Amino acid sequence: SATILAACMFGSASAADMTVGFSQIGSESGWRAAETTLTKQQAESRGIDLKFADAQQKQENQIKAIRSFIAQGVDAILVAPVVATGWDDVLTEAKDAEIPVVLLDRTVDASEDLYLTAVTSDLVHEGNVAGKWLVDTVAGKPCNVVELQGTTGSSPAIDRKKGFEQALSGNDNLKIVRSQTGDFTRTKGKEVMESFLKAENGGKDICALYAHNDDMAVGAIQAIKEAGLKPGTDILVVSIDAVPDIFQAMAAGEANATVELTPNMAGPAFDALAAYKKDGTVPPKWIQTESKLYTQKDDPMKVYEEKKGLGY
Ligand code: AHR
């Protein structure tokens, strides 16, 4: 029967029999660290043997790690791709070795048949949600916006920019006056915000900050305070991720809104792999995670307490 045939093709491996290689980007943000923690926890609770490789932000390290996973004959590979392009060769090698690849949290510009599925949010939508919040909040008043972009060439940096710009289009009161990468880190977020503040009349000409992640926003909040301005009031702050620290900033009135990104990408990825290994069930090409908006009205300290411990 078809079931027996599939069992022969894929073996009768349950999740517990699986060895999975995970090529992680690094630990640039609180969100990324939580994703790593949860992936390890999820693997352990399912009895999966996880081989973890930290690429320290370098695509070449990710490619090396994937090649080493292929050579070791792992059952599956998880990869959080640091940038969107340049994956065709190594993904083809995994495909030729019949090792399914699952993309985590970022997308790639490669043919869909080179990976089993992608567990990601709708990255354009996230930018859109942040932009709509700002449009509604300023309600027609003139507003100069500065933007801290994520890692250059990464799908969240490209798509979150696009979605935000879409939300602003047609609202001529809102203008993005500066936009630069802050590499998704706190340190760089602070540094670049300092240069934005200097360039824009000590910050007096800035009405809002849009940061592609919370960590850069947290760094920028510090810079705004050091410049003698009030983040959250003098300069509105909207970002993405919903890490615990941004809820503390929100409770203090220093951040205004964030769009939630779950750090538990591995749960759905392992579910899909277990079903695929068991009887060949092919998951949808995209397993989409939710993007919920939080503002100061959402009892930030309560959310902070809830988030703590969930990988953070
Ligand atoms: O790809 C997801 C993004 O990467 C998160 O928003 C950011 O914090 C991380 O570094």
Side-chain angles (χ1 to χ4, degrees):
S1 75
T3 324
I4 293 167
L5 218 169
C8 295
M9 281 167 63
F10 301 101
S12 55
S14 69
D17 302 319
M18 279 199 283
T19 297
V20 178
F22 176 26
S23 169
Q24 177 59 298
I25 292 169
S27 53
E28 70 282 1
S29 65
W31 184 91
R32 180 71 51 203
E35 185 191 50
T36 296
T37 302
L38 286 177
T39 306
K40 289 178 176 169
Q41 280 174 6
Q42 287 282 342
E44 204 186 329
S45 69
R46 292 160 194 256
I48 291 170
D49 177 14
L50 190 75
K51 297 193 179 301
F52 181 78
D54 178 336
Q56 318 248 341
Q57 311 298 317
K58 291 204 176 80
Q59 183 179 34
E60 62 194 80
N61 291 344
Q62 293 204 283
I63 292 172
K64 265 189 220 149
I66 295 168
R67 290 201 167 124
S68 141
F69 295 147
I70 296 170
Q72 291 171 61
V74 297
D75 298 300
I77 294 170
L78 305 181
V79 55
V82 60
V83 289
T85 57
W87 297 100
D88 300 68
D89 289 352
V90 77
L91 292 182
T92 303
E93 289 164 36
K95 193 179 179 189
D96 290 347
E98 292 177 26
I99 299 173
V101 172
V102 178
L103 306 178
L104 288 195
D105 72 85
R106 297 187 183 181
T107 56
V108 295
D109 295 339
S111 163
E112 281 192 352
D113 65 343
L114 292 180
Y115 56 87
L116 181 67
T117 184
V119 184
T120 76
S121 58
D122 184 334
L123 297 158
V124 175
H125 178 65
E126 288 171 342
N128 216 270
V129 171
K132 281 207 178 102
W133 175 83
L134 188 59
V135 168
D136 293 346
T137 303
V138 301
K141 283 192 222 96
C143 182
N144 284 347
V145 184
V146 295
E147 178 182 31
L148 285 168
Q149 296 179 37
T151 303
T152 305
S154 70
S155 65
I158 297 163
D159 291 348
R160 287 172 182 170
K161 179 167 186 52
K162 187 166 150 196
F164 186 78
E165 284 172 353
Q166 278 172 4
L168 262 55
S169 86
N171 297 280
D172 297 340
N173 57 314
L174 282 144
K175 250 202 304 190
I176 302 173
V177 291
R178 311 245 155 209
S179 180
Q180 209 177 302
T181 183
D183 283 339
F184 281 131
T185 68
R186 252 173 225 221
T187 319
K188 205 62 198 302
K190 178 165 189 263
E191 210 177 284
V192 177
M193 189 67 198
E194 281 165 0
S195 73
F196 286 167
L197 290 159
K198 273 199 200 106
E200 297 295 331
N201 193 18
K204 290 185 199 74
D205 293 343
I206 302 172
C207 140
L209 160 71
Y210 167 47
H212 290 189
N213 80 348
D214 290 343
D215 276 69
M216 291 190 292
V218 169
I221 286 169
Q222 193 55 39
I224 296 169
K225 289 205 269 193
E226 286 172 16
L229 295 171
K230 280 204 183 104
T233 313
D234 296 330
I235 298 179
L236 299 171
V237 178
V238 55
S239 50
I240 294 169
D241 275 356
V243 301
D245 287 359
I246 206 73
F247 290 100
Q248 272 190 315
M250 269 192 217
E254 295 176 347
N256 303 86
T258 187
V259 184
E260 186 176 39
L261 178 69
T262 177
N264 182 20
M265 301 275 162
F270 288 144
D271 286 346
L273 281 171
Y276 181 70
K277 285 282 167 190
K278 191 168 165 240
D279 58 14
T281 303
V282 177
K285 269 294 152 189
W286 182 20
I287 300 175
Q288 191 187 336
T289 64
E290 263 185 274
S291 308
K292 188 178 162 199
L293 177 76
Y294 284 93
T295 68
Q296 290 178 352
K297 291 186 198 121
D298 293 305
D299 197 348
M301 274 329 277
K302 188 168 164 244
V303 187
Y304 171 82
E305 293 301 339
E306 285 165 5
K307 288 256 165 197
K308 274 281 186 194
L310 296 174
Y312 291 105

